[in-house]
Amino acid sequence: MKKNDIYQITIEDIGNDGEGIGRIDGMAVFVKDTVMGDVAKIKIVKAKKNYAYGRLEELIKPSPFRVEPICENARRCGGCAIMHMSYEKQLDYKWNKVKNCLERIGGLTDVASIMEPVYGMDKPYNYRNKMQFPVGLDKDGKVQIGFYAGRTHSIIDLECCHIGHPVNDYLVKHLRGWLQKWQDKTGKFIYDEEKHQGFVRHILTRVGFVTGELMVCVVVNGDSLEAGRKVASEIAVVENELKAIIEQAVKEYNLNQAYATKDYFLEIKFTSLSININKDKTNRILGDKCVTLYGQDYISDYIGAIKFNISPLSFYQVNPVQTKVLYDKAVEYAGLTGQEIVWDMYCGIGTISLCLAKKAKKVYGVEIVSQAIEDAKENAKINEIDNTEFFCGKAEEVVPGFYRGADNSGKHPDVIVVDPPRKGCDSVLLDTIDEMAPKRLVYVSCDPATLARDVKILVEKGFEVGKVAVVDQFGHSGHVESVLLLSREE
Ligand code: SAH
């Protein structure tokens, strides 16, 4: 196979970025803009030793699962990679992805018999509580605010995003005008990524889906919203205008929505405005420091009955409705009666730990990011939960140290929960879990391939997989979230 060869293929799978995957002579070929079930004529654009990339030339027989995406930018936008596939088929794909990984990589058999039906969203739109809009200029000096096009940093100027909270559409519209005004006045208000010049880089927003609290954080390449001249009174003018136009956007949203959807209307309350300082030439969106310009430093939200304070830098699950479903599953699989010692590894800001703590004797959490551990402790406090203890460090270092240390209390937990990042659990941690000999292990995973790799190791150590649930957190993207219950007889 070589570049520019033409083939006809059938798309059988989806890659991590939502691209279709077909096979030619057993070799995987990744083809953007195709859907499972498509028969397509493709041209090879890059051929590697074990795989290739192809470009869609002609759709010979469109997949029966193709739908017209609700968003006109779906094809270009890097956000929703599989919006052109029916939501039902997306769920089906995600369920099968977990099953196939557990069978092919994990070495399990008949996984379908222990899998629950997929937990999809009732309405797979407007589900995200957090948005990060890049800001830039087009070649005519017009402000662009929206999303990056797939795999590039060119910005699609968005009117509307169908997966974010709808207040964002109002915010973006008003912010665009404000940004343009100050760009026109100063000539350097908008950040230029290539030259590493200018100020405003990104706008981050968060909405508490239960409280209605809104946070806006403007990421700037500077120490303030400098309007070209570093005169305090001028900066104050820019800041006050920013505050006023956000108030305006929220007011418009509340008025329109209250009118349109009276029954389940949630009033948005503008609660926090801050800048985040990021002066580095980097792809990282946020810098380490935030300065509050108006209101509180954080917004609050609830998952079930538990309250969380969320600052711009904290990690918080983006789909609050499905997060509740996911955590409820994790708690259910943990099978708590109130007497158990539990470890929550990779605990973040303690979300799962606090859900578990209500039903356990004691919960230990461990997490690598120190700010997250601070948040976890604070979250325990505001909920008056006093049976948790949090440790900062790498799980694979903290837990073995604790296990072999003098304190006996958490050595043999009844239940361990792990929720690692995509790369899965460290092998040292899996060995330690084995030694700690919990009765039950609940594995929350955002990557079925590494999940299956770890499950294989755990099964070799004598664990048995009892139940599997797939919970869709990210409709229209290829990401797959799942929860597993593993147990072992003493
Ligand atoms: N359970 C949390 C967070 C899950 S995300 C929630 O549901 O909100 C995975 C977390 O693992 C992140 O917070 C990340 O900072 C943390 N992490 C990554 N590597 C780690 C390691 N080696 N040890 C401990 N935590 C780690």
Side-chain angles (χ1 to χ4, degrees), residues 315 317 327 346-348 351-352 367-369 393-396 419 421:
F315 173 85
Q317 295 281 357
Y327 290 174
Y346 309 90
C347 69
T351 36
I352 298 179
E367 159 64 43
I368 197 168
V369 175
K394 288 186 180 169
E396 59 273 24
D419 182 8

